[in-house]
Every structure is written in C-alpha cells, then in structure tokens.
C-alpha cells in the first residue's frame, strides 16, 4: 500500500462509519480533557480514577431497580455513586489522620469491589452487565447500535448522547471557568470573596462523575482515566496560560480521536485502547517539543537569566 | 456613627479550634480605622489563624467579627485578603496580569467577566508595585520578592478599605521589603486600615503604628510605644507556661 491508501483506508473500510467513530471518540475525550485539566491543576488526578471505578455499584443498583440497561436512571445512580466516593474520601481525610491519597485508594477500591459483590448477589452471575465491557468499553461496537435520523443522516444514538454531554460540559465551563480557576489557584482568596469551596468542589466532582458515567460505556472505566489525565497533562507542558491550556487539551482530544481511528483500522486493534495510545504518543511529543517545557528546546538554548532577575536573586540570598 | 468613628475591625470572643484542639481563644479587639497594625507572636500562636478566622476562611467556633460596624458578610467587598505566598501553586498556568485581575473578581459576582475598568485597575496596581513590565510572565518564572509584589498588586486591585495580609515579608529580598513598607505607609495615608502578620520582632516596632501581640490569646493591643515593651514581649514569647500560670492565678481569684 502507498501513503495515500494508508490515509484513506478507514474511509474505504468503514465509509461514514469512520466519521461516527471519530466523533464519538472526540465527544468522549473533549469533556474529559477539559474537566481533567482542572483535576490536574487541583492535584486531584487520581480522584478521576476513584470516580470511574466507584460508579460501578451505582450502576448495578440502578439496573437492579429498573431492569433496563439503557435507562437514564443508570446514569443518575452512577453519578450518585461517584459523588459518594468523593464524599467518602473527604470524610476519611477530614476525620482521621489518613491522608488524601490513601483515602482515595480506600474509597474507590472498596466501592468497586462492593459493586462486584452486589452484581453477583442481586443480578446473578451470568447477567447482561458485562464486566469485560465495563473495563474495556465497546466503542468498536458503536456501528452496530441503533441509529436516529438527524438532518437526513442516520446518526448512531450513543454519538448523540455523548454530543449532548460534551455540549453541557462546555456550557458549564464557559460560565464557571473563572470561578473554577480562582478556587483552584487560591482557594483561600476564593473563600474570602464568599465563594463556597465545598460547593465548587462537589459541583466539579458531580460533573466529572456525569462525564465518566457517560464515557464509561464507550471507552470503559480504565481508559476514561487516561482520557481525563492525558490531554490536560500534555497541554500543561505546552502553555503557561489556562485558556490556551484548555484549548490545547481539546485539540489533543481531537487528535487522539483521529489517531485512534487510524490505529484501530490499520492494526485492527481495540478502538478505545487505540485512542488512548495515540493520546500517549501525543503526550510524549508535548514532553519533547512542548513550546514552554519541551526537552528539545531546553537542550538547544542554555538558560541565561536576564539582568534584573539575577540581581533580584542575589538580593534574595542576601536578605 | 460615621464610618471614621467605627472601628475598621472589631472581634468579640473570637475562638477557633482545629480538630478539637484550640488554636485561638476569645480574641477581643477593636482596630481603629486608618491604622497600620502588625500582628506578632511566636510560631503556632495563631497569627494566620486569626486573620483566616476574621475572613471566614477557617470556621470559628465562637464569637463574632464586625467590619466597619457590620457583620463581615455585608461588608465583604470592603475587605482584602492576602494569603501566604506558599499557599498557592506557582506552577499554575496563569500570568502576572491574570493574578492581578483576580483581585477584581470579588466585585464581579459569579458570571460577569473582567472588562476594561477591571483591567485598568489591575494594570495600575501592577504599576504601583513595579511589576507592570512583567504582566505577561508566567508566575512561576518570578523570584520570591516578585511573587509577593504580584500578590500585593492583586490586593490593591481589590480596592478595599481593610486589608489582612499573611506574612507578606516572608522570603522577600531587602529591596522588596523596603518597597512593601513604603506601600503600606502609602495605603495608611489614603485612609486604609492594614493588618499584617509579621514574624520579625526586630522590625515590627519600626514598621507599624500599632501592634497586636498574640499567643493563642490576645496578650496586648495598642500603639507601639505602649506595647512594644520588654514585659509584654516576654509575656508573648515566653512560652505557654506564663500564660497558663496567669490563667490559673485568675481562676484562683474567682
């Protein structure tokens, strides 16, 4: 095969299906990338991990009550379970001497295991709630899903759902970006302005739970974490400004989606894993070539402090 | 009562406990408007806790706070708070200008965006502390003294009447220290009231007009000439023993 054939291969094989796969992966990765950027800045990257695992018992209980795997109550149940895990982390952290990282480890493993037990107890062992799917996602099966007509196009239903989630997240971000920035940077100053840090914290955690749950079916619990952390971390290495960082994180999400599709088609690999692998490659590129922190640039130019800075440093040492 | 006669800050029986361990007992103080106050005391005396409790950043377990004669909530816009420099992550992706602009957020409510007026206020504040040429720099590339100046610019952009500053002199170079002192005096000339947590007893007597001596309790509050005395300072820094024995004495008399 020549170059051109490699590049057109997904479209030849999947037709418009290639577009749906890219859009789906992008709509999952986009809200993850934005909220994930804030999680990283708040040093709460592992909280995303905690939420993605602890939604499981919520899904099981909601499924037990409704008996319908496509019921919206599953998302509500999962969202509540995700919120419960962050509350448990706060409680342990606040009332005992156990620190935040250990509390996170306790909360999500215990809730996830509880979910496994509940599933076996309530639903029996051979049930439709497939653990394999929970862990690895079913993005690749997207094209077999029900379709809805939209502007004369038959759009797979999950793409529309995820597009809605992405839209809601971006709208929330548009309105609350400044509040989230201030409370992440300087919670004390935010509190002195009368913002309530606890409300902002749990509000953000609820939105993360909501995204994780929605993304859950598409990419699975483990890969959600990657999508929460990778774009923000790569963008963090590329910019010193929050808005630019969020923009780069979104771009990273888009490129991961496209790259993921190509890997998926070229190697016939799991689509979700392919998206994350291409996101990982992009992170390494940011690490090497990032405009502000890139290893390569540091290697090329030797750091020469400007005169006023060096004099200030001396002053610092003297005082 | 007019504004000038009201104390800028008044606390009554302000008490704070962390994890049931008391950090501050019954602080009664009335700070007259237009004064420059140094809060001094040994490590762990509750100096930062005091201003955090005043700002409501840490919950108090008793007592009340009034600012210009009203509860803090009603006069929040008249109070500026400058947290300790180490309390924030200086790798955060914001520029010097972004940080100065944060000072204007309090007046914006939740949704309004900073506009021209806010940007002008932030630029003027940066100009005042000599940081305007750095406005596009990422804050992590600044020296300790420059970071502190940015924090002060943010406070100036708040345009408050009462300021509470947590250790603005910690880890700054001599030039910045002098600049901050000049700035504080200028603020006092403009009728602002400033409370500063200060760790250096030597300079405290010369930088401020009033001192608040704190060691979990209020040891003394008054003009420098009255409270900067060997006896009171010894009482403040002499460890908890003296305070406790005094409490025991007082209890015995009851």
């Amino acid at each position: 095969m020549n170059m051109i054939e490699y590049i057109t291969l997904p479209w030849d094989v999947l037709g418009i299906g290639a577009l749906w796969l890219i859009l789906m992966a992008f709509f999952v990765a986009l809200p993850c990338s934005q909220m994930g950027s804030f999680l990283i800045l708040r040093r709460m990257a592992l909280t995303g991990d905690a939420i993605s695992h602890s939604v499981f018992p919520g899904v099981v209980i909601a499924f037990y009550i409704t008996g319908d795997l496509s019921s919206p109550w599953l998302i509500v149940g999962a969202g509540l379970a995700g919120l419960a895990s962050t509350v448990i982390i706060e409680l342990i952290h606040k009332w005992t001497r156990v620190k935040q990282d250990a509390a996170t480890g306790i909360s999500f493993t215990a809730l996830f295991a509880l979910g496994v037990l509940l599933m076996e107890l309530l639903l029996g062992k051979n049930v439709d709630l497939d653990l394999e799917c929970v862990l690895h996602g079913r993005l690749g099966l997207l094209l077999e899903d029900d379709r809805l007509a939209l502007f004369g196009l038959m759009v797979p239903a999950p793409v529309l759902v995820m597009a809605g989630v992405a839209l809601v997240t971006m709208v929330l971000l548009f309105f609350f970006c400044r509040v989230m920035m201030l409370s992440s940077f300087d919670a004390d100053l935010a509190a002195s302005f009368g913002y309530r840090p606890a409300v902002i914290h749990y509000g953000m955690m609820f939105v993360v739970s909501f995204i994780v749950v929605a993304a859950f079916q598409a990419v699975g619990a483990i890969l959600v974490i990657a999508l929460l952390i990778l774009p923000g971390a790569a963008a963090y290495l590329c910019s010193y400004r929050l808005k630019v960082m969020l923009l780069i994180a979104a771009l990273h999400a888009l490129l991961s989606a496209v790259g993921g599709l190509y890997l998926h088609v070229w190697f016939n690999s799991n689509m979700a894993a392919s998206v994350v692998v291409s996101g990982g490659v992009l992170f390494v590129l940011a690490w090497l070539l990032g405009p502000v922190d890139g290893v390569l640039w540091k290697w090329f130019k030797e750091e020469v402090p400007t005169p006023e800075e060096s004099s200030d440093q001396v002053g610092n040492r003297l005082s | 009562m007019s504004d000038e006669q009201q104390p800028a800050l008044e606390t009554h029986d302000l008490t704070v406990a962390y994890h049931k361990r008391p950090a501050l007992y019954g602080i009664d103080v009335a700070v007259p408007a237009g004064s420059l106050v140094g809060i001094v005391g040994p490590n762990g005396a509750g100096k930062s806790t005091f201003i955090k409790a005043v700002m409501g950043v840490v919950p108090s377990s008793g007592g009340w706070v009034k600012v210009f004669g009203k509860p803090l909530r009603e006069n929040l816009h008249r109070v500026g708070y400058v947290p300790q420099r180490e309390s924030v992550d200086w790798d955060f992706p914001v520029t010097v200008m972004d940080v100065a602009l944060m000072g204007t957020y309090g007046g914006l409510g939740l949704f309004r965006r900073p506009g021209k007026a806010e940007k002008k206020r932030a630029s003027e504040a940066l100009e005042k502390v000599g940081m305007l040429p750095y406005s596009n720099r990422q804050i992590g590339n600044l020296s300790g003294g420059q970071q502190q100046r940015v924090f002060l610019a943010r406070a100036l952009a708040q345009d408050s009447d009462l300021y509470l500053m947590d250790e603005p002199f910690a880890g700054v170079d001599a030039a910045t220290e002098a600049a901050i002192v000049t700035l504080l005096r200028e603020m006092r000339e403009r009728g602002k009231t400033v409370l500063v947590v200060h760790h250096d007893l030597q300079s405290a007597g010369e930088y401020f007009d009033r001192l608040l001596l704190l060691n979990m309790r209020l040891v003394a509050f008054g003009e420098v000439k009255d409270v900067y005395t060997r006896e009171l300072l010894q009482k403040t820094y002499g460890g908890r023993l003296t305070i406790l024995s005094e409490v025991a004495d007082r209890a015995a008399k009851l």
Side-chain angles (χ1 to χ4, degrees):
Chain A
M1 276 199 292
N2 62 34
M3 270 303 267
I4 309 283
E5 278 168 19
Y6 268 114
I7 289 172
T8 56
L9 187 64
W11 314 95
D12 296 339
V13 177
L14 299 166
I16 194 151
L19 178 68
W20 300 141
L21 280 175
I22 287 181
L23 278 182
M24 184 65 183
F26 176 60
F27 288 148
V28 170
L30 176 69
C32 284
S33 73
Q34 304 297 295
M35 292 309 290
S37 298
F38 280 101
L39 289 181
I40 290 171
L41 292 176
R42 295 170 79 97
R43 303 186 181 199
M44 286 173 33
L46 279 182
T47 309
D49 194 342
I51 291 176
S52 62
H53 282 77
S54 49
V55 294
F56 194 43
V59 173
V60 172
I61 292 172
F63 179 61
Y64 177 68
I65 295 170
T66 61
D68 174 11
L69 202 54
S70 57
S71 158
W73 289 105
L74 256 61
I75 292 193
V76 175
L80 289 177
L83 212 54
S85 87
T86 62
V87 172
I88 292 172
I89 293 171
E90 285 295 303
L91 286 180
I92 296 177
H93 166 60
K94 225 174 208 155
W95 295 102
T96 74
R97 285 184 302 134
V98 174
K99 303 288 182 284
Q100 185 124 19
D101 51 345
T104 307
I106 293 167
S107 162
F108 83 82
T109 48
L111 279 170
F112 185 71
L114 179 70
V116 175
L117 279 190
L118 281 177
M119 185 174 79
E120 291 191 349
L121 286 174
L122 297 178
L123 308 177
K125 282 181 188 172
N126 33 12
V127 76
D128 203 22
L129 204 62
D130 185 358
L131 199 60
E132 188 74 359
C133 170
V134 165
L135 287 178
H136 301 301
R138 49 197 289 283
L139 193 54
L141 303 177
L142 177 75
L143 301 179
E144 291 153 32
D145 267 309
D146 298 339
R147 296 187 175 213
L148 298 170
L150 191 78
F151 305 124
L153 278 175
M154 296 306 284
V155 185
V159 175
L160 286 178
V161 172
M162 217 48 229
V165 170
L167 186 70
V168 169
T169 309
M170 298 312 284
V171 168
L172 285 173
L173 195 73
F174 178 79
F175 283 112
F176 289 103
C177 186
R178 194 164 54 74
V179 173
M180 293 196 322
M181 187 231 299
L182 180 61
S183 77
S184 305
F185 176 63
D186 194 339
D188 285 350
L189 183 73
S192 84
F193 284 161
Y195 298 179
R196 293 177 187 280
V199 174
I200 296 170
H201 174 78
Y202 287 118
M204 286 178 69
M205 290 308 110
F206 186 76
V207 175
V208 173
S209 309
F210 171 70
I211 295 167
V212 163
V213 173
F216 196 80
Q217 273 214 321
V219 292
I222 295 172
L223 301 186
V224 167
I225 306 154
L227 289 181
L228 276 172
I229 307 308
L230 271 174
Y236 185 64
L237 297 182
C238 290
S239 177
Y240 280 147
R241 320 195 63 156
L242 183 67
K243 283 199 176 128
V244 181
M245 174 176 162
L246 291 174
L247 215 67
I248 295 176
L251 185 69
H252 180 284
L254 179 64
L255 292 178
S256 314
V258 175
L261 175 78
Y262 278 105
L263 288 182
H264 169 60
V265 175
W266 289 343
F267 303 111
N268 196 20
S269 53
N270 176 302
M271 171 85 184
S274 305
V275 171
V276 176
V277 167
S278 57
V281 171
L282 287 171
F283 174 78
V284 174
L285 284 179
W287 186 7
L288 293 175
L289 303 172
V292 299
D293 248 357
V295 176
L296 215 62
W297 308 140
K298 278 186 189 155
W299 195 50
F300 272 127
K301 61 166 186 194
E302 270 194 272
E303 299 256 336
V304 187
T306 52
E308 76 266 14
E309 262 177 333
S310 47
S311 71
D312 207 283
Q313 296 290 323
V314 173
N316 239 341
R317 246 172 268 135
L318 287 177
S319 66
Chain B
M1 232 196 289
S2 85
D3 218 57
E4 283 66 43
Q5 291 155 325
Q6 292 271 14
L9 172 70
E10 192 179 0
T11 68
H12 175 68
D13 198 26
L14 189 65
T15 302
V16 178
Y18 286 125
H19 290 271
K20 293 190 179 163
R21 220 173 302 149
L24 213 56
Y25 295 97
I27 306 293
D28 279 303
V29 74
V31 179
S35 46
L36 182 50
V37 183
I39 303 175
V40 280
N43 287 333
K47 303 185 294 283
S48 300
T49 305
F50 173 66
I51 62 172
K52 282 186 182 171
V54 168
M55 290 309 300
V57 171
V58 300
S60 49
S61 43
W64 51 253
V65 173
K66 275 186 185 171
V67 174
F68 297 106
K70 284 189 189 158
L72 177 75
R73 284 276 146 215
E74 288 168 40
N75 259 339
L76 201 55
H77 60 282
R78 298 185 63 180
V79 193
Y81 172 52
V82 184
Q84 274 180 32
R85 188 161 55 86
E86 296 85 61
S87 69
V88 307
D89 172 14
W90 289 92
D91 281 335
F92 204 88
V94 285
T95 60
V96 166
M97 184 49 123
D98 292 332
V99 176
L101 267 176
M102 285 176 193
T104 66
Y105 285 8
L108 286 174
L110 281 183
F111 299 116
R112 241 178 64 220
R113 278 151 200 276
K116 266 212 178 102
E118 281 77 19
K119 293 208 170 105
K120 187 160 165 266
R121 248 161 69 200
S123 307
E124 282 168 3
L126 284 172
E127 174 84 77
K128 211 158 223 156
V129 299
M131 288 300 291
L132 193 58
Y134 298 84
S135 42
N136 283 320
R137 285 271 192 107
Q138 198 268 338
I139 53 172
N141 294 332
L142 304 175
S143 72
Q146 291 172 325
Q147 290 177 345
Q148 192 62 59
R149 287 169 193 232
V150 175
F151 255 32
L152 285 171
R154 184 174 74 174
L156 290 178
Q158 286 194 46
D159 201 17
S160 310
D161 297 314
L162 167 67
Y163 284 101
L164 302 160
M165 303 186 177
D166 205 345
E167 302 246 15
F169 295 106
V172 305
D173 51 289
T176 301
E177 179 147 350
I180 296 175
V181 173
T182 313
L183 186 72
L184 291 178
R185 294 196 170 139
E186 210 182 294
M187 289 165 83
R188 181 191 52 197
E189 298 317 315
R190 298 208 329 267
K192 313 279 183 191
T193 312
V194 190
L195 276 75
V196 179
V197 172
H198 192 54
H199 63 288
D200 180 32
L201 196 53
Q202 306 297 320
S203 52
E206 115 196 39
Y207 286 173
F208 307 106
D209 359 299
R210 285 187 167 79
L211 289 179
L212 196 158
L213 305 182
L214 200 66
N215 193 344
M216 297 179 83
R217 307 175 162 278
L218 182 66
V219 179
F221 172 67
E223 294 194 24
V224 171
K225 63 175 165 48
D226 300 326
V227 300
Y228 197 66
T229 61
R230 175 173 289 276
E231 192 201 350
L232 283 173
L233 293 177
Q234 212 141 49
K235 213 160 129 191
T236 315
Y237 284 84
R240 232 175 279 167
L241 261 181
T242 46
I243 304 269
L244 281 182
S245 64
E246 206 189 64
V247 172
D249 284 350
R250 217 182 293 156
K253 279 182 203 153
L254 284 175

